[in-house]
Each structure stands twice: as structure tokens, then as C-alpha cells.
């Protein structure tokens, strides 16, 4: 296609997705001409049946690079440039907020349905990259766990890394979550967000924002974040905010990462939650052992059948739920049970916290409290309640909110490594002689004799065995073991809550 045809195609895409109105066609062409350093255009008069956005953008970037407008032809610089192009066609924030609020007046779901589609249409969520993620489900003793190998985050190229080293330290935006990211043009060490729009909401009387994650690990993966750049903290106010949010968006769940290293999220400096329209295995897991708490007769509670240690609270009154959650948290913060190797602190360093998740069950509110502890030892320097060394070939990273609920976010390296494991199992070869598979050899050798491997079934078998490893990962992260002794220890803690 010619450059004029590509510009026409992109403007047509913007019209068809509702990013611009038909009356804005000429303006859109001209703003793209400016962005592409062009001063001439001839309407090609195309009749387009469909527009493949990634292909059109790639072709425009190739043309810009050939003309010297895009000096560096690498993923980081291409992302900065095509985001700038899409930003030219993205409605202003006030228009987006106005549309969202009008739809919310009809129903919260109508508003989020539109906003999620909009966030994809602007290419803020890159559909083509999300489609590259590998996903499957593994049936385990705890239900069907979701497994994904993340391949949608682009790797930084050496030139961009070198350029970033030469940049002065930046503090604008202060972090990847701050509201100042809306419309930000980006730089080599900070993604462009020209096409990013956020929705102001009120949570417990304070200004917050709603947006979607650009890497959507599950359906409508949203981020709810404080207007202020303030550290995350798990406390009664946190529980109240989670419950307030699901009161406003009853079709969404929402949860918070824990507020301590190792068991917390990657961005502890900015108060935020993650939510979405998805039912994780933990939500589907039943109560395994009912318990009760004096003074909270309106709340049903119990230990959840889950590899991690979860207390589920369900009731009609969100205030009462937050009160009981706070009572449990306060007790857990200071709780020590040396027989179960639960230490509240060592040398003044606190270890106990909670990963909370809120949702609606019909008219009721539900709060899952996942007990966490980040103590380390010489044997387990990354954490006692963290994937142990024998599982690091699959998962070494922290177990955050998403994993806690039953979705494994595995590193991109595994796509190639697990494929290599499957190939060698088909061939009957040596797993220890290949650098891609040697770290996986002890694990794969443990199950190779249980199956007849063929080129058609090998990767599927390896994928299912990987899912079983993830179940073990979650068991390692549980502070009370899935044994009779562990159950007794869990109930001792419940009895200590008063």
C-alpha cells in the first residue's frame, strides 16, 4: 500500500471503531501528516472491507524509518512512534469520561464493556501481542488452574537500554501507575501513553482512577489506583475500599497485593488494586471447614479448600466485613506460632500480612483473606513461603495477587524451554545435554515413564505437568501446610482472633 493508502486506512479504522467521527476525517488525515512529517496527501478512494491495525501501523513505521522520520527501527522506538500516531486519533479525556459516565447510568457493566473495547481499539491494549501469550488450564486437586506464559511484553533492545543509561533520572511520571501517565509521550525507559485514558472514580469518598492493564492476563484485567502517589498498605481502610469498589462494580472482583516484600506486588510505592470480570479457581473453591467469630453473627466464615491459607468471609454488610477483616489482620500482624514456623517478626522486621480479595455473591459481599509471611532462612533465602528451589525452573518470581487466585503468570523463556523438553521426550533424548532443558531434567525425568510421547501430544503433556508444578508453588506459598498438623495450626490462629 502507498503511504496515502495507509493513512486513509488508519483514519478509516478510527472512524469505524468510534475513535473519531466521520466529520473529523480531514482533520485526522492532517494530524497524521504532521506526525509523519508529510505535507501532501491524495485521497486514494479505497473501499475497505477490513483494516488490520497492526499491519497498517507496521507499514507506516517502516515508511517513517525509510524516510528518516523514525531514526531507530527497534521495538522500543517503534512502540513510542506508533503510540504517538494512535494518540493523535484518541478522544480527549473529557470525552471518554463523559461517555463512560453516561453508560454507567445505564449499568456499570455497560460502562466497563465499552471502556474495555475502547482501550483495545486505541491500541493501548495491543490485541496482537496479547494473542501471543500461551494459555491453558490444568485440572488439579484444587480445581482448574489457569496457566499463561507471558509473551506480550516486548523485550528491550540493546540500543534502547544504552540510551536509557544516558538519560538523567526522571521523576515524571513518578511511577507507571500515576495519573500523569495519561497522554504521556514516553521515552526509552518509560512507555508511551499518548493513547491512554483513565476514568475518575470515588472510592470511600476519595479520588481514585480506573484503567485496564495493557497486558491483560485475564478478561477485563483492570487496575484501580489512588490519585495520590502513596504507598500500599493493608489495613481496615483497604478492606473498606475493596468492598466499596465491588459495591459500585458488582460484576467485577478486586484485590490487593500484600504490602511487604517477597509476598507483595512489583509496585508497592503506589496504592492500587487489581480486578476484572473473571472467575478464578480460588473463587470457585468451596469452604472446607466452617468457622465463626464472636460478635459477627451476620457473617459466615470458613477455611477455603485452597493450597494457600485462606479465610473466607461472606455477609450482607460491608462495614461489618471490614471490621472483622481488620480484627483478623490485627491478630495476624502480631501472631507467632513457633511450632508452625510462623514468626510475626525477627529483629524488629515484620513478616505477617494479608492478600485480600473482594467480590459479590449475588446480593452478598465476600472477602477472601490470604495469610502471608515473608520470612527467609538460609535454606530458603527467597522466602520460606515462596516457591522452593526445586520449583524455580518453572517459577522463581514472587507469588502476587494474580497467582494467589490461581493464575500462573510464567516467564516468556518457558515457551522455548518447554517446547524443547517436549521435543526431547518424543525423541527419547538426553534432557541434561541441552542448555534449554537441563534445568528441567530432574522434573521431566520424573514423569517421562508415565506417558507415551508423540509429536502430537508431547507439549500438551508437558503443559499439564507444568500446571501441577504451579499447584505445588501455591502449596509452598501457604503459611499453614495442607496436613492435619497444618489444619490444627490454622485453627489455633482462628481461635486467637478476639
Amino acid at each position: 500500500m502507498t503511504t496515502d493508502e495507509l493513512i486513509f486506512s488508519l483514519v478509516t479504522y478510527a472512524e469505524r471503531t468510534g475513535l473519531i467521527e466521520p466529520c473529523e476525517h480531514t482533520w485526522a488525515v492532517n494530524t497524521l501528516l504532521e506526525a509523519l512529517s508529510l505535507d501532501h496527501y491524495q485521497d486514494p478512494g479505497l473501499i475497505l472491507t477490513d483494516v488490520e491495525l497492526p499491519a497498517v501501523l507496521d507499514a507506516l513505521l517502516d515508511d517513517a524509518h525509510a524516510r528518516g522520520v523514525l531514526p531507530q527501527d527497534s521495538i522500543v522506538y517503534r512502540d513510542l512512534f506508533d503510540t504517538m500516531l494512535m494518540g493523535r486519533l484518541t478522544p480527549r479525556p473529557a470525552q471518554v469520561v463523559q461517555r463512560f459516565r453516561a453508560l454507567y447510568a445505564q449499568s456499570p457493566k455497560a460502562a466497563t464493556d465499552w471502556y474495555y473495547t475502547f482501550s483495545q481499539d486505541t491500541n493501548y491494549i495491543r490485541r496482537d501481542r496479547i494473542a501471543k501469550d500461551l494459555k491453558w488450564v490444568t485440572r488439579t486437586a484444587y480445581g482448574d488452574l489457569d496457566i499463561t506464559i507471558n509473551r506480550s511484553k516486548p523485550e528491550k533492545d540493546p540500543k534502547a537500554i544504552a540510551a536509557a543509561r544516558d538519560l538523567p533520572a526522571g521523576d515524571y511520571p513518578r511511577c507507571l501507575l500515576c495519573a500523569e501517565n495519561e497522554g504521556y509521550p514516553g521515552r526509552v525507559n518509560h512507555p508511551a501513553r499518548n493513547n491512554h485514558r483513565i476514568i475518575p472514580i470515588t472510592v470511600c469518598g476519595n479520588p481514585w482512577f480506573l484503567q485496564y492493564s495493557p497486558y491483560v492476563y485475564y478478561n477485563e484485567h483492570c487496575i484501580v489506583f489512588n490519585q495520590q502517589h502513596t504507598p500500599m498498605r493493608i489495613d481496615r481502610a483497604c478492606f473498606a475500599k475493596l468492598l466499596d469498589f465491588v459495591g459500585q462494580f458488582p460484576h467485577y472482583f478486586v484485590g490487593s497485593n500484600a504490602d511487604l516484600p517477597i509476598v507483595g506486588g512489583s509496585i508497592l510505592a503506589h496504592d492500587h488494586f487489581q480486578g476484572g470480570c473473571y472467575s478464578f479457581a480460588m473463587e470457585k473453591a468451596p469452604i472446607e471447614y466452617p468457622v465463626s467469630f464472636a460478635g459477627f453473627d451476620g457473617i459466615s466464615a470458613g477455611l477455603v479448600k485452597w493450597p494457600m491459607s485462606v479465610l473466607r468471609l461472606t455477609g450482607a454488610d460491608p462495614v461489618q466485613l471490614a471490621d472483622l477483616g481488620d480484627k483478623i489482620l490485627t491478630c495476624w500482624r502480631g501472631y507467632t506460632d513457633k511450632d508452625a514456623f510462623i514468626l510475626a517478626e525477627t529483629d524488629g522486621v515484620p513478616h505477617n500480612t494479608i492478600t485480600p480479595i473482594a467480590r459479590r455473591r449475588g446480593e452478598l459481599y465476600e472477602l477472601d483473606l490470604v495469610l502471608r509471611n515473608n520470612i527467609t532462612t538460609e535454606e530458603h533465602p527467597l522466602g520460606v513461603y515462596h516457591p522452593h528451589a526445586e520449583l524455580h525452573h518453572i517459577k522463581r518470581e514472587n507469588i502476587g495477587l494474580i497467582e494467589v487466585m490461581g493464575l500462573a503468570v510464567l516467564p516468556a523463556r518457558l515457551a522455548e524451554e518447554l517446547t524443547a523438553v517436549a521435543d526431547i521426550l518424543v525423541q527419547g533424548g538426553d534432557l541434561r545435554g541441552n542448555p534449554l532443558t537441563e534445568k528441567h531434567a530432574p522434573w521431566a525425568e520424573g514423569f517421562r515413564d508415565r506417558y507415551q510421547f508423540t509429536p502430537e501430544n508431547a507439549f500438551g503433556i508437558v503443559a499439564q505437568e507444568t500446571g501441577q508444578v504451579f499447584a505445588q508453588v501455591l502449596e509452598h506459598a501457604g503459611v499453614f501446610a495442607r496436613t492435619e498438623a497444618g489444619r490444627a495450626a490454622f485453627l489455633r490462629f482462628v481461635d486467637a482472633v478476639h
Side-chain angles (χ1 to χ4, degrees):
M1 297 178 79
T2 67
T3 303
D4 286 351
E5 289 172 336
L6 291 169
I7 292 172
F8 179 86
S9 297
L10 186 54
V11 172
T12 300
Y13 168 87
E15 288 180 19
R16 290 180 178 177
T17 54
L19 298 180
I20 65 171
E21 297 294 330
C23 64
E24 297 174 309
H25 184 101
T26 300
W27 163 83
V29 167
N30 287 335
T31 194
L32 290 176
L33 290 176
E34 178 188 28
L36 293 164
S37 296
L38 295 168
D39 56 14
H40 178 76
Y41 174 79
Q42 180 69 46
D43 190 322
L46 293 177
I47 299 176
L48 299 172
T49 56
D50 195 18
V51 178
E52 293 292 333
L53 180 63
V56 170
L57 289 174
D58 279 344
L60 283 170
L61 297 181
D62 290 343
D63 174 75
H65 177 63
R67 293 185 293 106
V69 177
L70 175 62
Q72 298 286 348
D73 188 34
S74 65
I75 186 67
V76 171
Y77 291 95
R78 289 175 73 91
D79 279 4
L80 291 170
F81 199 90
D82 72 4
T83 303
M84 180 267 293
L85 293 180
M86 291 306 300
R88 297 285 184 126
L89 304 174
T90 300
R92 290 184 297 107
Q95 296 172 283
V96 176
V97 172
Q98 183 180 33
R99 180 72 183 276
F100 183 91
R101 288 177 173 166
L103 289 169
Y104 186 90
Q106 299 175 22
S107 78
K109 188 176 185 303
T112 56
D113 283 351
W114 171 80
Y115 182 45
Y116 187 56
T117 300
F118 168 83
S119 298
Q120 296 171 79
D121 289 341
T122 63
N123 212 37
Y124 165 71
I125 296 172
R126 295 176 183 257
R127 291 185 176 105
D128 58 318
R129 290 187 184 167
I130 302 301
K132 295 177 182 178
D133 289 347
L134 295 180
K135 298 181 180 182
W136 65 92
V137 174
T138 296
R139 180 163 295 177
T140 74
Y142 308 106
D144 292 342
L145 300 183
D146 294 298
I147 314 297
T148 180
I149 295 178
N150 172 38
R151 299 195 295 180
S152 56
K153 284 187 179 181
E155 298 291 333
K156 285 192 175 182
D157 58 270
K159 288 184 179 179
I161 293 172
R165 278 200 305 265
D166 295 334
L167 288 177
D171 60 358
Y172 184 87
R174 287 187 66 182
C175 77
L176 290 168
L177 292 179
C178 283
E180 290 77 20
N181 283 280
E182 185 177 42
Y184 184 66
R187 53 184 190 267
V188 292
N189 61 352
H190 193 103
R193 292 290 183 253
N194 312 65
N195 55 351
H196 180 39
R197 300 294 181 263
I198 60 179
I199 304 297
I201 61 174
T202 300
V203 179
C204 287
N206 293 307
W208 281 57
F209 292 101
L210 171 68
Q211 67 175 55
Y212 289 105
S213 166
Y215 305 113
V216 289
Y217 293 133
Y218 51 84
N219 186 50
E220 298 180 49
H221 179 182
C222 71
I223 300 173
V224 187
F225 61 103
N226 198 322
Q227 183 185 61
Q228 302 298 320
H229 182 88
T230 186
M232 293 179 63
R233 178 162 178 78
I234 304 300
D235 53 16
R236 189 197 179 285
C238 171
F239 301 149
K241 286 180 281 193
L242 295 174
L243 294 163
D244 184 35
F245 179 83
V246 296
Q248 297 180 58
F249 297 91
H251 59 300
Y252 274 13
F253 80 90
V254 70
S256 175
N257 269 302
D259 54 358
L260 292 179
I262 297 177
V263 297
S266 58
I267 305 178
L268 295 178
H270 195 132
D271 193 14
H272 72 285
F273 308 138
Q274 295 182 77
C277 189
Y278 192 74
S279 293
F280 290 89
M282 191 176 82
E283 176 186 341
K284 301 171 187 175
I287 294 290
E288 190 171 41
Y289 192 95
V291 298
S292 61
F293 295 93
F296 293 91
D297 296 339
I299 295 177
S300 63
L303 315 187
V304 179
K305 185 182 178 183
W306 193 243
M308 298 182 69
S309 307
V310 185
L311 271 169
R312 176 168 294 161
L313 314 177
T314 307
D317 183 359
V319 174
Q320 194 177 39
L321 279 173
D323 287 342
L324 179 53
D326 184 47
K327 184 180 286 286
I328 293 168
L329 172 66
T330 301
C331 182
W332 180 244
R333 291 277 194 197
Y335 187 75
T336 290
D337 182 344
K338 292 184 179 178
D339 290 340
F341 200 68
I342 302 295
L343 302 179
E345 57 86 22
T346 53
D347 300 323
V349 177
H351 297 306
N352 290 347
T353 186
I354 280 176
T355 299
I357 301 102
R359 66 182 73 89
R360 299 294 294 274
R361 293 270 189 188
E363 294 300 311
L364 299 178
Y365 289 81
E366 192 163 88
L367 191 62
D368 281 353
L369 303 177
V370 187
L371 307 181
R372 311 298 301 274
N373 179 288
N374 73 348
I375 194 169
T376 61
T377 63
E378 288 187 9
E379 182 183 4
H380 301 296
L382 297 182
V384 172
Y385 305 107
H386 178 88
H388 293 174
E390 66 269 22
L391 306 183
H392 287 178
H393 66 105
I394 296 294
K395 181 70 175 178
R396 178 188 177 93
E397 298 79 12
N398 293 350
I399 303 306
L401 171 68
I402 295 172
E403 286 91 358
V404 163
M405 295 184 293
L407 191 159
V409 181
L410 301 179
R413 63 174 173 83
L414 286 178
E416 184 179 15
E417 292 175 7
L418 296 183
T419 299
V421 169
D423 290 344
I424 290 176
L425 290 173
V426 170
Q427 299 158 8
D430 178 16
L431 290 158
R432 296 175 185 267
N434 185 321
L436 286 175
T437 62
E438 59 182 345
K439 70 170 73 70
H440 301 292
W443 163 65
E445 289 167 355
F447 65 77
R448 73 185 307 170
D449 293 338
R450 301 205 310 266
Y451 302 98
Q452 291 292 325
F453 292 95
T454 68
E456 292 74 28
N457 72 10
F459 186 83
I461 292 171
V462 172
Q464 291 305 309
E465 291 291 337
T466 301
Q468 298 300 331
V469 171
F470 179 58
Q472 289 180 270
V473 163
L474 295 181
E475 289 175 340
H476 287 187
V479 296
F480 295 117
R482 296 279 307 167
T483 62
E484 287 300 319
R487 165 75 63 77
F490 201 161
L491 292 175
R492 286 198 300 273
F493 166 68
V494 171
D495 288 342
V497 178
H498 55 76

